Amino acid sequence: MPRRMGRPGLLGTMARTAAISGTATAVSGRVQRNQARRAQADYDQQLAQQQVAAQQTAALQAQAPVQPTPAQPTPAPAGGGLMDELQKLADMKASGLLDDAEFAAAKAKLLA
């Protein structure tokens, strides 16, 4: 039987299509596995870097001296004395901040 020349028959075309399809599937599977492996490696590396940074931060915080809170200024003694208050009122009247009626009312309030 002589060999036929020209286009392959139906069986030959199906065989060629199956071979090409199988090769493409194998190649795309390998590409996907490589991409997944690289992505996992990148994620693992980032996670390790974050853990190292967290450990370093915790170590620095443990070593940092505790800053004392600033002391609150002590308030002036309450009252300050009757004479001091009267003197302040007299100074306010002399500077023109209080008129005679306001000065008299404030003085009466202090002495009451």
Side-chain angles (χ1 to χ4, degrees):
M1 181 157 153
R3 186 149 198 238
R4 205 172 127 170
M5 299 300 266
R7 297 186 347 197
L10 181 61
L11 232 47
T13 302
M14 287 174 51
R16 183 181 305 163
T17 302
I20 291 171
S21 175
T23 303
T25 302
V27 168
S28 70
R30 187 178 331 140
V31 168
Q32 287 177 348
R33 284 189 302 273
N34 285 340
Q35 288 175 344
R37 188 175 30 247
R38 284 187 196 130
Q40 185 65 40
D42 289 345
Y43 175 77
D44 291 342
Q45 184 178 9
Q46 288 176 354
L47 185 61
Q49 288 175 350
Q50 289 174 353
Q51 289 174 346
V52 167
Q55 290 172 350
Q56 289 174 346
T57 302
L60 287 175
Q61 288 176 347
Q63 292 175 357
V66 177
Q67 297 287 337
T69 57
Q72 297 293 330
T74 55
L82 181 60
M83 290 305 291
D84 290 334
E85 293 297 320
L86 288 173
Q87 184 61 44
K88 287 180 188 177
L89 284 174
D91 291 339
M92 290 171 73
K93 182 180 180 225
S95 66
L97 292 174
L98 295 176
D99 61 16
D100 291 332
E102 292 172 330
F103 175 75
K107 181 178 162 186
K109 188 174 183 180
L110 277 177
L111 295 177

